[in-house]
Amino acid sequence: MALKTLLSLVSVVAALQGANAALTRRVACPDGKNTATNAACCQLFAVRDDLQENLFHGGQCTAEAHEALRLTFHDAIAISPALEAQGKFGGGGADGSIAIFSDIETNFHPNIGLDEVVEMQKPFIARHNLSVADFIQFAGAIGVSNCAGAPQLSAFVGRKDATQPAPDGLVPEPFHTPDQIFDRLADASQGEFDPILTVWLLTAHTVAAANDVDPTRSGLPFDSTPELWDTQFFVETQLRGTSFPGSGGNQGEVESALAGELRLQSDHTIARDSRTACEWQSFVGNQTKAQQMFQFVFHDLSILGQDINQLVDCTEVVPIPAPPVGQAHFPAGLTHADIEQACADTPFPTLPTAPGPKTSVASIPKPNVNSS
């Protein structure tokens, strides 16, 4: 679908949803405080408040929020119609299997480190009457709502929980080639996630950090503003970095242009791939696109393997994030000359440079496993 057509469709759908919400009769929730367009959504208010107070530090875009978003992807992407066509079990997608069978799935190589966020979320799951599948996706949406500039992500209830673990090998790795990643996402989504939509999905790395790619360092952000949902990630992945590590280096890592920042090899190569370089660059300074396109792909990611006709839309329970902060820029000490131009069709946008000398990016404290 052409981008302009899709953007128009997103705008029309949002307008219709707003109009329908205004006309729909709301029901009073049993808590005596909230109302909802569907009674099935009432239970989510208590879950939301519990998460905000006891996991997300009163509503902050911290490591706990980042990891909650990461968990949504690692659970949902583990589905393969191609395996099913071979008569094998291909996983259930967004079915909560990564938490239900955490002793198995968190040991898969691409899921290493997610055992911490799974253990943090288990007490919340235990005290609320919500399926594990619904909880994982809802917690991710609530976590992102704490990041200024983020979109309001969709929330549904009614997913069916997994009855068996997903097979290994379905979650992309940082050292995978663009072709491997594009093929994996296309399989999981039955062709919907093409290379362009894969770029949209990677917008999530604007509020992300790595704890396990480099075993000697933790909390390494993927851009210099990991607390903000902005487009710095798309700027900074285009800065010249060092080549892939050689003997003794960390698989899947490219040294960033900024000290203290980690660049995934997969992000580096997709940003420079001829099929995606111009789409990648198009996000630079385009805050609206960074919001709308991820909102679009998260909706579909969060229901992989589920029947949307059996789900109830409870997006209204998700807080609307604070407005964006700042503007796209070159980090201090860097300029347009430091860009490694990859898009052959359009020059890289003109951006200001932050004042001051070149500095390093601060690491993010690891999630507090005792915060629940």
Side-chain angles (χ1 to χ4, degrees):
M1 182 181 293
L3 180 58
K4 289 184 178 179
T5 303
L6 178 57
L7 285 171
S8 299
L9 178 60
V10 169
S11 299
V12 170
V13 170
L16 289 175
Q17 288 176 336
N20 289 338
L23 295 173
T24 302
R25 182 178 178 180
R26 302 181 67 82
V27 298
C29 294
D31 62 11
K33 298 185 300 183
N34 296 291
T35 63
T37 54
N38 191 303
C41 301
C42 286
Q43 62 183 319
L44 293 183
F45 289 106
V47 184
R48 178 195 67 188
D49 295 345
D50 192 9
L51 284 168
Q52 291 288 60
E53 180 178 354
N54 298 308
L55 183 61
F56 299 135
H57 306 284
Q60 297 182 46
C61 187
T62 56
E64 290 79 6
H66 303 167
E67 289 296 287
L69 178 59
R70 181 185 174 211
L71 189 64
T72 65
F73 175 77
H74 284 247
D75 186 49
I77 204 63
I79 183 171
S80 174
L83 285 179
E84 295 284 351
Q86 298 171 23
K88 305 174 183 178
F89 178 60
D95 63 356
S97 66
I98 197 168
I100 297 170
F101 301 99
S102 58
D103 57 329
I104 297 174
E105 290 195 38
T106 61
N107 288 312
F108 296 163
H109 190 265
N111 295 338
I112 291 175
L114 284 173
D115 58 314
E116 294 179 348
V117 66
V118 168
E119 290 305 311
M120 282 190 294
Q121 291 187 2
K122 281 184 176 179
F124 294 89
I125 295 171
R127 61 179 176 254
H128 294 288
N129 185 28
L130 196 64
S131 74
V132 179
D134 286 343
F135 180 88
I136 287 175
Q137 299 302 321
F138 183 66
I142 297 300
V144 168
S145 76
N146 298 322
C147 305
Q152 182 190 38
L153 298 183
S154 58
F156 293 92
V157 294
R159 294 177 184 82
K160 294 180 179 179
D161 273 346
T163 58
Q164 58 182 310
D168 197 1
L170 297 183
V171 181
E173 299 258 34
F175 55 83
H176 283 168
T177 66
D179 280 341
Q180 289 175 301
I181 294 172
F182 297 155
D183 289 348
R184 173 78 280 274
L185 266 64
D187 173 31
S189 63
Q190 296 183 297
E192 180 183 338
F193 287 168
D194 62 10
I196 297 301
L197 268 70
T198 300
V199 173
W200 299 358
L201 196 60
L202 289 171
T203 305
H205 286 178
T206 183
V207 289
N211 289 319
D212 304 289
V213 175
D214 184 340
T216 67
R217 301 179 293 171
S218 65
L220 301 176
F222 296 154
D223 73 9
S224 59
T225 56
E227 75 286 359
L228 301 176
W229 191 281
D230 57 15
T231 65
Q232 280 304 113
F233 168 69
F234 292 100
V235 176
E236 293 168 21
T237 45
Q238 287 293 165
L239 293 169
R240 297 182 190 280
T242 58
S243 59
F244 300 155
S247 177
N250 297 301
Q251 190 179 37
E253 177 186 358
V254 177
E255 194 64 34
S256 172
L258 298 176
E261 183 177 291
L262 184 144
R263 184 182 304 174
L264 297 181
Q265 179 179 322
S266 51
D267 289 340
H268 181 94
T269 52
I270 291 174
R272 289 156 177 77
D273 189 280
S274 61
R275 293 163 291 183
T276 47
C278 290
E279 184 64 18
W280 194 280
Q281 182 178 290
S282 73
F283 277 86
V284 174
N286 193 336
Q287 182 68 26
T288 298
K289 185 171 184 177
Q291 293 172 326
Q292 290 184 341
M293 297 302 94
F294 188 78
Q295 186 179 49
F296 175 83
V297 292
F298 180 84
H299 172 281
D300 288 1
L301 175 79
S302 72
I303 57 174
L304 285 178
Q306 303 285 338
D307 181 359
I308 194 171
N309 296 314
Q310 301 299 314
L311 305 181
V312 177
D313 188 345
C314 297
T315 302
E316 62 182 320
V317 181
V318 179
I320 296 176
V325 176
Q327 61 178 330
H329 61 273
F330 294 119
L334 298 171
T335 68
H336 192 281
D338 296 294
I339 288 294
E340 188 172 33
Q341 179 70 28
C343 175
D345 299 336
T346 309
F348 197 85
T350 300
L351 301 175
T353 294
K358 189 174 181 180
T359 59
S360 61
V361 180
S363 61
I364 300 172
K366 292 189 72 173
N368 180 5
V369 295
N370 297 315
S371 62
S372 59

